[in-house]
Amino acid sequence: MGEPATVVQACNPDGMVLCHGEYWKARSADGEPLGAGERVKVVSLSGLVLLVSRDKEEDVKSGY
């Protein structure tokens, strides 16, 4: 949990992320759409699907 990942296929709410060099099916934990290229954090695991949320620390760094 808390691991960084990058969205490679938009999560609306389902998509795909790259985490530690591996592609994973992913779902937006709060249902908020996540676009390709966004940095996210892993919130939990449901079977073989990562539940992810927007990385708020990255938002601060980028000025959002």
Side-chain angles (χ1 to χ4, degrees):
M1 303 316 120
E3 294 296 317
T6 302
V7 178
V8 292
Q9 181 183 28
C11 297
N12 191 18
D14 297 321
M16 189 163 288
V17 298
L18 182 63
C19 184
H20 290 287
E22 297 178 339
Y23 292 97
W24 288 80
K25 289 183 180 180
R27 179 172 298 128
S28 174
D30 58 8
E32 182 178 338
L34 301 167
E38 284 194 64
R39 299 286 296 168
V40 294
K41 281 192 177 180
V42 177
V43 175
S44 65
L45 179 67
S46 176
L48 294 176
V49 177
L50 297 179
L51 297 176
V52 298
S53 65
R54 185 169 278 114
D55 188 343
K56 300 300 182 189
E57 290 178 24
E58 282 295 316
D59 287 348
V60 170
K61 290 178 190 174
S62 64
Y64 291 107

